[in-house]
Amino acid sequence: MQAVILFGVLLSCPLMAIAKRAPALVRNFRLQSFFLFLATLSLGAGEGRVDLYIIAGLLFLLKVLLIPEILYRITRRIKANENIGLFINAQLSLFFVLGMMYAAWVFSKAMFPFAAVLKTTLLAAAFCVVLSGMFLMIFRISALAQIIGMLVMENGIFLLASTVSGGMPFFVEIAIFFDVFVSVVIMGFFVYQINKLFTHINVNKLSRLKG
Amino acid sequence: MKIIILAVQLLTFLLLSPLISGLISKLKNNLRMRKGQGVLQPYYNLFKLFSKEEVISETASWIYRVTPFVVFASTLTAALLIPLLALTSPLQYLGDFLALIFIFALGRFFLALAALDTSSAFGGMGASREMFISSLAEPVACLAAFVLALQFGSSNISLFSGMHPVLLSSLIAAIALLFVAIAETSRIPIDNQETHLELTMVHEAMVLEYSGKSLALLELSAAVKQMIWFLLIAQIIFPMQAMPFSAGIGMFFWLGWFCLRLIIIAVFVAVLEVSLAKMRLLRVVDYFGFAFLLSVVALVCAIIGV
Amino acid sequence: MDPLSLFFLSVIFLISFPSAVYSFGYLKNEASGKKQALALSLLVLFVAAMVWVVAARNLVVFLVAWEIMSLVSYFLVVFDSTQEKSVQAGTIYIVMTHLGTAFLVIAFLIMSKYAHAFDFASVKAACALMPEKTKNFVFICLFIGFGTKAGLVPLHIWLPFAHPQAPSHISAIMSGVMIKTAIYGIIRFVIMLLGVDSIWWGVWVLVFALISCLVGVVYALMEHDIKRLLAFHSVENIGIILLGVGLAMFFLSLHLYYLAVLSMIAGLYHLVNHAIFKGLLFLCSGSVYKATGTRDMEKLGGLIKNMPVTAACFLLGAMAISALPPLNGFVSEWLTLQAFFLGAGNVGSAGKLFLGVGAGLLALTSGLAAACFVKAFGIIFLAKPRSRQAQNAFEVSFSMKLAQVFLSLLTVVFGVASGVVIKLLAGICAFVLEVDATQMNFSLNNFVLSPQPGNALYLSPPLLALLIVVFGVFAFLAYTFFGNRKVRVFETWGCGYYKLDSRNEYTATAFSKAFRIAFSFFLLPYRKTQKIRESFYHVKSFSYETHTTPVFRKYFYDQILKIVFRSAKFGRRMQPGSIHLYLGYIFLTLLLLLVFMHKF
């Protein structure tokens, strides 16, 4: 079970790397979040902790339902072209992400040389998600991709916390969820404003603003 | 006793100093194959000025009026620093060589201000030149005093008033002081007392507006200042004993030697004045540069001990 | 509070109180009520910060107080923020002063590293065990740090900008007191905490002090803005003060304790004196500014008739700073020169040569200073007014006059009562140098100074003053009662020209021309003349402009700035404004950190 969920989380990373349009990206994010929800649920079931159930529920509510919905709405409202603009084409991005997967594996192996394989793999997956979120932020032009990249990184950190230390304290987790939600709303607003002002949301053109 | 010495010293300076000016003037004229004025002419001049009406510029302020008194008072104070009759000056607690330099600076400061006060361009020119020259003369005088202090232990003037060996270092220092004295007494090649041409005059330009009694006071002060400088140099080069307080042949010789050494310096200055031309103002830098170098040489000699 | 702190405390209050009194009159009608209140509160804060600096007994506390002092003085410099010049001056000031503070921080960190504590007592104990090389390094850092604040050449660059731009009572405090805290720093940290044991420290200080003296006074001579002129004189006088301090360090390292105490007395004495007369001169220049609205000497003149009190006060200040007897500046310069003279008898031949030339250069400085103040007083206050503002000037208000008169009386008191002052200072200096000075005799009685009794060396300022007054009165009586008593007031002789007016007068620029040419090798003057002719024979107008090249700025600071800008331009490429690149930096850093973690 765990392995399947892990596979799902990991799979979403290259999927996001090759996505060229905004809706596809959002869909992949939703997929990743869903698998994350499953992972948390299974962890909760395995340890029988109530707070993990609540967290899983929140995760489902926010990251699977609400945030993707908001992002969809933004893409519809700004009516800009749906392409998120690639600095690096899809094939090369795929290679990058695969390379990062391998690097994450090597790294987690080096960090915990004597741990169980499953734990090492979980750690590697978490790292990989963080790195691919970072990758999305750097190599995608649209501001929307940056929001999603940040959310992906957050997912990765969540996974990292739950795998390494069995989850963060309950209240911290709740606070982070709230944080993420608010930041998505704010960033959505900003993206909307940027679009209104410049008729595009290409972040690389923002450099023209400097004196 | 001290009061008497004090009074005699002041009177000597006041009465004798114009004579030196007259002597130099006469000598210069004779050297130029002229008949020249009498030796006593400065006295007549002073007397004449004292009985003339005074004209004061309408732009002048109280600085202009007070300056003759400041100059006169500071010069007389400086005169008390010099041991004239006894080996120690009557007021030896008053100050030393350096104090002398600074007291002269006081008079000069006021004279330059008074020159600016009349709003005449001549005054400004004179003040500027005088301050330029004196500021360059000051390091030379100071370094010469330094050399003397090294030889005699301190810069107290009384220390080199008695009999002492004349070392090479103090001789060179005295020559450097002579350079300063020529500038301070406004003589050729730095200044020219005899001309009233705006291109050349320095001291004369400063006192150009003065007349009557004020001018008399300033001229008298200039003469006293000249005598102070000459005496100072004479004491370094021609040491002499204390005055014997017994009427007789000893006293006579003492007085003779006392006058002779002043005359020697006066003759030397007169010959120098006749044989040199006045320098351009900016050449003064070279003049004092050379004098400073002389003082440094004197210092090196003093360090070696010759 | 030890004697040294008490001494500086009294100097601070001695100048700050008259300045505060002065400020009431000075700011009246000048600024709004709110701004006046701001000025007063800043002034109080400034004085409090300076008090804190000298009272601190801990490196960190000292540094905090030092920084507050710098910041408050920055706000005072830019107080008149409507003028672009003020803001510019403030910027130069704050940059330079922080440069200095950076060096102080380095020195303090090294000192505290050895002491494992920040209080002075343990730092002192630790400094004794410090290795020679570290000690030298700490000394250089301290010297640069405090030298910047003191305005030592070539770190003086901020001083002629910042001091003139502040309101005049603040200039008086800044020039009179604030830069003295740097001297306090040098005495406290170099002499008392670090301990002088290398001869070259003293020589180093002396060389820089001499350069400061000469450069400061030569630049001052070229200046025709009153307050800038005074600011350059601060550079010169800081040099003279440091001559005393440097000589003390020099003699201390040679174990000539008597001379060290004497030199220290000379330095501290000149410090008080400079505080008094520079404060006085700045206040007077403020009055002139208030009365005429200009600081340009070429537009002034004849003020002695409309502003007699200010003129008399300025005259006393000018005489004091020119070291004329019997005022205070004379006594301290005489003492400094005597320290040179007496020291020569006790050092080797190279030392003799060095001290001799040093004494000569100090004398040159004082000669040039006298020339400069003849110019300043003569052009500002004497002759005919050169502009309508100068003609319509009026005497300033009572509170301003009060402050000026108080300080000008102090110049006389500190000159005439020098015997008492020296006895007081001897105790302080003995404490500073940790020498027993009770056996040393600096003053025969309170009227006669004798720096070294065995050498028959004396000076008596009260006697000098008395004699000058007595002879002056004597001359005046002779003048009044003898000879022709007729006096006629008539116009100045103008070579037959009938319309002599202020345009025929000598100007400040003309006055300093001889100096400009004599020091042209350093000043690098250049001039621009322009004739507008109506015909070949008739020149309609003629304009003449002359400037000197600011050598240190052009050949030192501008070069450094150029390098900084060039490297900044290069560094700019790293920051192009692309968010992706910034994210990339973060990413790269993260990766590198991971690799780093993996490796170690």
Side-chain angles (χ1 to χ4, degrees):
Chain A
M1 181 63 192
Q2 282 257 327
V4 175
I5 295 166
L6 202 62
F7 179 70
V9 173
L10 267 180
L11 186 67
S12 62
C13 291
L15 278 180
M16 270 190 273
I18 58 171
K20 287 181 189 167
R21 292 180 314 120
L25 201 60
V26 178
R27 213 176 302 130
N28 286 328
F29 169 68
R30 179 177 262 172
L31 187 70
Q32 189 181 48
S33 302
F34 182 68
F35 276 111
L36 205 62
F37 157 70
L38 287 183
T40 319
L41 207 63
S42 73
L43 197 70
E47 295 185 11
R49 276 163 57 189
V50 184
D51 58 337
L52 280 179
Y53 284 122
I54 298 174
I55 289 173
L58 268 174
L59 205 149
F60 187 74
L61 193 71
L62 281 174
K63 285 194 175 163
V64 181
L65 296 181
L66 263 177
I67 294 179
E69 196 50 45
I70 293 170
L71 291 175
Y72 272 132
R73 197 174 277 183
I74 293 171
T75 45
R76 247 176 285 136
R77 259 176 83 180
I78 57 178
K79 285 183 201 141
N81 73 32
E82 292 178 326
N83 279 332
I84 49 173
L86 312 182
F87 274 129
I88 296 179
N89 67 20
Q91 290 77 18
L92 207 56
S93 305
L94 190 62
F95 272 114
F96 246 95
V97 171
L98 291 177
M100 284 191 304
M101 263 183 209
Y102 178 69
W105 169 254
V106 170
F107 177 71
S108 44
K109 260 306 240 200
M111 242 168 82
F112 301 103
F114 307 112
V117 179
L118 187 67
K119 192 169 182 183
T120 321
T121 320
L122 267 173
L123 197 67
F127 263 124
C128 180
V129 172
V130 172
L131 291 179
S132 61
M134 200 83 199
F135 175 83
L136 274 182
M137 289 180 84
I138 296 170
F139 290 111
R140 296 292 177 264
I141 295 170
S142 162
L144 210 65
Q146 251 120 46
I147 301 178
I148 293 173
M150 201 212 75
L151 289 168
V152 170
M153 274 173 74
E154 207 278 329
N155 274 351
I157 290 167
F158 178 81
L159 194 59
L160 202 65
S162 61
T163 50
V164 174
S165 63
M168 281 179 262
F170 180 64
F171 285 104
V172 176
E173 206 74 80
I174 297 284
I176 290 177
F177 274 135
F178 186 68
D179 239 24
V180 168
F181 181 64
V182 171
S183 64
V184 166
V185 171
I186 292 172
M187 282 194 284
F189 180 72
F190 271 131
V191 166
Y192 181 67
Q193 284 295 325
I194 292 173
N195 188 54
K196 216 166 103 182
L197 263 173
F198 301 103
T199 68
H200 64 79
I201 50 170
N202 288 357
V203 180
N204 67 330
K205 287 185 185 161
L206 289 183
S207 64
R208 283 190 206 150
L209 291 176
K210 70 175 180 179
Chain B
M1 187 63 198
K2 235 178 186 173
I3 299 290
I4 297 169
I5 293 181
L6 215 69
V8 171
Q9 176 156 355
L10 277 179
L11 281 178
T12 317
F13 269 107
L14 284 177
L15 296 179
L16 207 61
S17 57
L19 189 63
I20 299 177
S21 296
L23 184 69
I24 293 177
S25 173
K26 176 83 181 166
L27 275 168
K28 272 164 73 179
N29 276 319
N30 285 347
L31 283 168
R32 286 171 179 148
M33 299 302 190
R34 294 178 191 154
K35 199 171 166 205
Q37 60 203 13
V39 180
L40 297 179
Q41 187 61 37
Y43 295 101
Y44 303 147
N45 281 347
L46 287 177
F47 185 74
K48 175 192 77 185
L49 285 173
F50 234 75
S51 52
K52 280 212 163 196
E53 106 176 304
E54 192 175 346
V55 183
I56 289 180
S57 162
E58 59 194 6
T59 53
S61 62
W62 58 268
I63 297 272
Y64 178 85
R65 287 165 195 258
V66 97
T67 293
F69 309 122
V70 175
V71 173
F72 186 71
S74 62
T75 315
L76 277 197
T77 310
L80 288 185
L81 287 168
I82 308 285
L84 187 71
L85 305 176
L87 280 184
T88 53
S89 61
L91 289 171
Q92 67 153 341
Y93 292 126
L94 190 59
D96 64 337
F97 203 140
L98 289 174
L100 185 84
I101 297 172
F102 283 112
I103 292 170
F104 280 148
L106 174 67
R108 189 186 311 122
F109 188 84
F110 269 87
L111 200 55
L113 283 185
L116 281 168
D117 201 9
T118 57
S119 84
S120 142
F122 290 113
M125 211 161 2
S128 165
R129 288 173 182 175
E130 172 78 5
M131 295 317 288
F132 177 62
I133 291 167
S134 65
S135 63
L136 293 175
E138 218 150 276
V140 179
C142 182
L143 193 53
F146 188 86
V147 174
L148 294 172
L150 212 55
Q151 189 191 334
F152 295 103
S154 85
S155 53
N156 189 341
I157 300 173
S158 302
L159 287 179
F160 46 85
S161 62
M163 282 304 288
H164 58 78
V166 180
L167 298 180
L168 184 63
S169 62
S170 51
L171 187 67
I172 299 175
I175 293 172
L177 277 182
L178 191 67
F179 273 74
V180 177
I182 284 171
E184 289 272 323
T185 54
S186 50
R187 298 202 168 274
I188 295 174
I190 298 299
D191 190 1
N192 192 349
Q193 292 181 339
E194 295 163 353
T195 172
H196 277 148
L197 180 68
E198 67 266 27
L199 289 177
T200 56
M201 59 184 175
V202 179
H203 183 261
E204 287 302 314
M206 286 204 293
V207 300
L208 195 63
E209 281 295 317
Y210 276 107
S211 56
K213 288 186 281 189
S214 297
L215 185 58
L217 277 179
L218 288 174
E219 298 229 311
L220 189 58
S221 325
V224 172
K225 189 175 170 187
Q226 170 174 284
M227 185 166 163
I228 292 171
W229 275 111
F230 285 1
L231 263 177
L232 209 58
I233 294 164
Q235 277 179 355
I236 299 163
I237 309 181
F238 311 115
M240 64 186 296
Q241 280 162 342
M243 183 168 80
F245 278 102
S246 53
I249 196 88
M251 183 78 170
F252 182 74
F253 272 119
W254 188 89
L255 274 176
W257 176 228
F258 179 84
C259 294
L260 185 65
R261 55 183 201 163
L262 278 183
I263 291 169
I264 291 172
I265 291 175
V267 169
F268 183 74
V269 168
V271 171
L272 211 64
E273 267 205 285
V274 170
S275 48
L276 286 177
K278 190 192 168 294
M279 279 179 175
R280 280 194 313 138
L281 183 67
L282 293 167
R283 289 281 309 283
V284 169
V285 180
D286 302 338
Y287 174 88
F288 282 114
F290 180 69
F292 193 75
L293 210 64
L294 267 185
S295 311
V296 173
V297 170
L299 180 56
V300 172
C301 289
I303 290 169
I304 297 167
V306 290
Chain C
M1 281 280 174
D2 55 14
L4 184 68
S5 297
L6 279 177
F7 168 72
F8 276 91
L9 215 57
S10 48
V11 175
I12 289 171
F13 285 122
L14 199 63
I15 308 306
S16 301
F17 273 126
S19 301
V21 170
Y22 178 89
S23 75
F24 289 114
Y26 184 70
L27 290 173
K28 209 174 178 182
N29 309 328
E30 197 86 347
S32 63
K34 244 187 206 168
K35 217 156 180 205
Q36 282 183 36
L38 178 69
L40 196 65
S41 47
L42 277 177
L43 174 68
V44 171
L45 199 62
F46 187 33
V47 174
M50 286 191 293
V51 169
W52 201 17
V53 164
V54 297
R57 284 290 165 279
N58 183 307
L59 292 181
V60 177
V61 176
F62 179 87
L63 212 56
V64 170
W66 184 259
E67 207 46 17
I68 290 176
M69 181 180 81
S70 303
L71 285 177
V72 175
S73 54
Y74 165 74
F75 288 125
L76 286 165
V77 168
V78 297
F79 185 72
D80 193 5
S81 53
T82 49
Q83 281 188 23
E84 199 188 329
K85 260 182 160 176
S86 297
V87 179
Q88 195 188 358
T91 309
I92 294 175
Y93 170 53
I94 199 101
V95 168
M96 284 309 285
T97 195
H98 277 93
L99 195 78
T101 311
F103 279 96
L104 288 188
V105 170
I106 295 172
F108 285 0
L109 284 179
I110 295 172
M111 282 162 116
S112 60
K113 183 181 157 242
Y114 278 87
H116 302 294
F118 290 109
D119 62 300
F120 285 177
S122 45
V123 167
K124 184 174 184 175
C127 282
L129 306 170
M130 213 183 259
E132 183 72 29
K133 267 187 187 159
T134 321
K135 232 174 172 175
N136 288 341
F137 183 71
V138 171
F139 164 69
I140 290 173
C141 284
L142 286 174
F143 188 67
I144 295 176
F146 288 122
T148 314
K149 195 56 148 192
L152 212 60
V153 173
L155 300 165
H156 68 289
I157 187 102
W158 61 273
L159 211 147
F161 286 101
H163 285 200
Q165 233 27 70
S168 290
H169 60 285
I170 298 300
S171 315
I173 298 181
M174 279 178 81
S175 228
V177 189
M178 188 191 76
I179 57 174
K180 308 300 188 323
T181 56
I183 306 291
Y184 168 79
I186 288 177
I187 294 175
R188 170 71 70 188
F189 291 103
V190 176
I191 297 181
M192 289 182 69
L193 294 191
L194 209 55
V196 185
D197 44 25
S198 314
I199 296 179
W200 72 266
W201 291 13
V203 175
W204 172 285
V205 173
L206 283 176
V207 167
F208 275 94
L210 279 173
I211 293 173
S212 286
C213 286
L214 287 173
V215 170
V217 77
V218 169
Y219 273 134
L221 261 170
M222 294 306 121
E223 210 42 71
H224 50 83
D225 177 325
I226 320 170
K227 287 178 82 177
R228 269 177 74 86
L229 180 145
L230 293 176
F232 274 120
H233 269 288
S234 290
V235 175
E236 176 222 337
N237 278 289
I238 276 292
I240 298 176
I241 295 167
L242 274 182
L243 279 181
V245 176
L247 277 176
M249 288 165 69
F250 181 67
F251 292 135
L252 199 60
S253 58
L254 292 172
H255 306 290
L256 299 167
Y257 295 114
Y258 185 90
L259 290 167
V261 173
L262 174 66
S263 323
M264 197 54 133
I265 289 175
L268 290 187
Y269 202 166
H270 198 72
L271 191 147
V272 188
N273 293 341
H274 178 242
I276 293 170
F277 56 61
K278 188 49 70 64
L280 170 63
L281 287 169
F282 262 121
L283 293 189
C284 291
S285 70
S287 301
V288 170
Y289 179 65
K290 175 98 178 164
T292 62
T294 181
R295 299 190 324 225
D296 188 356
M297 281 160 49
E298 311 286 31
K299 294 198 179 76
L300 297 170
L303 292 181
I304 195 168
K305 282 156 203 129
N306 293 335
M307 309 172 67
V309 178
T310 305
C313 293
F314 193 97
L315 179 65
L316 274 175
M319 283 168 69
I321 200 171
S322 312
L324 297 182
L327 299 182
N328 56 359
F330 159 67
V331 182
S332 50
E333 265 199 58
W334 184 83
L335 279 174
T336 312
L337 277 172
Q338 283 305 339
F340 274 103
F341 275 43
L342 296 175
N346 296 299
V347 297
S349 43
K352 278 182 181 127
L353 206 59
F354 176 69
L355 290 178
V357 174
L361 291 181
L362 178 57
L364 176 63
T365 308
S366 87
L368 290 174
C372 187
F373 275 94
V374 165
K375 177 185 95 171
F377 186 81
I379 303 292
I380 297 171
F381 288 99
L382 300 179
K384 283 179 185 156
R386 293 177 177 79
S387 68
R388 193 179 295 150
Q389 296 105 297
Q391 200 157 17
N392 300 335
F394 50 89
E395 184 58 280
V396 289
S397 62
F398 177 72
S399 67
M400 294 164 82
K401 276 193 281 190
L402 187 71
Q404 290 169 9
V405 170
F406 173 71
L407 284 177
S408 44
L409 283 181
L410 281 188
T411 61
V412 180
V413 169
F414 272 77
V416 174
S418 46
V420 185
V421 179
I422 283 177
K423 269 186 184 162
L424 285 175
L425 285 178
I428 296 165
C429 296
F431 166 78
V432 168
L433 302 170
E434 292 171 347
V435 179
D436 181 25
T438 44
Q439 301 304 315
M440 301 177 183
N441 184 12
F442 294 100
S443 165
L444 270 187
N445 49 51
N446 289 337
F447 303 113
V448 181
L449 315 179
S450 66
Q452 204 155 14
N455 275 347
L457 186 59
Y458 312 104
L459 178 75
S460 178
L463 198 56
L464 271 178
L466 184 75
L467 279 177
I468 290 173
V469 171
V470 165
F471 287 137
V473 169
F474 164 72
F476 180 71
L477 291 178
Y479 174 88
T480 319
F481 292 112
F482 293 104
N484 191 335
R485 286 187 211 167
K486 209 170 151 200
V487 172
R488 191 150 53 98
V489 175
F490 199 67
E491 63 189 43
T492 306
W493 183 61
C495 296
Y497 182 61
Y498 60 97
K499 241 170 60 184
L500 214 57
D501 65 358
S502 61
R503 298 204 315 168
N504 300 83
E505 283 170 27
Y506 233 51
T507 59
T509 312
F511 190 94
S512 54
K513 172 148 190 181
F515 298 95
R516 192 157 50 244
I517 295 174
F519 293 103
S520 59
F521 64 91
F522 170 68
L523 291 167
L524 309 177
Y526 56 93
R527 64 179 182 176
K528 212 167 71 186
T529 54
Q530 195 182 17
K531 275 183 197 168
I532 295 172
R533 293 169 185 275
E534 223 161 39
S535 69
F536 183 76
Y537 300 102
H538 185 233
V539 176
K540 203 174 169 194
S541 75
F542 181 84
S543 71
Y544 173 88
E545 228 184 287
T546 180
H547 294 282
T548 53
T549 315
V551 174
F552 288 100
R553 211 166 86 202
K554 192 169 176 191
Y555 295 106
F556 187 61
Y557 287 97
D558 280 2
Q559 301 305 321
I560 291 176
L561 269 188
K562 233 184 241 169
I563 292 168
V564 168
F565 277 130
R566 214 175 289 156
S567 51
K569 221 177 221 171
F570 181 75
R572 211 173 138 174
R573 277 186 224 157
M574 268 185 65
Q575 200 187 11
S578 154
I579 293 173
H580 297 97
L581 203 60
Y582 297 159
L583 287 167
Y585 291 148
I586 300 172
F587 188 51
L588 213 65
T589 316
L590 196 73
L591 280 182
L592 282 177
L593 280 177
L594 288 179
V595 172
F596 187 76
M597 196 175 157
H598 173 80
K599 274 267 186 235
F600 303 100

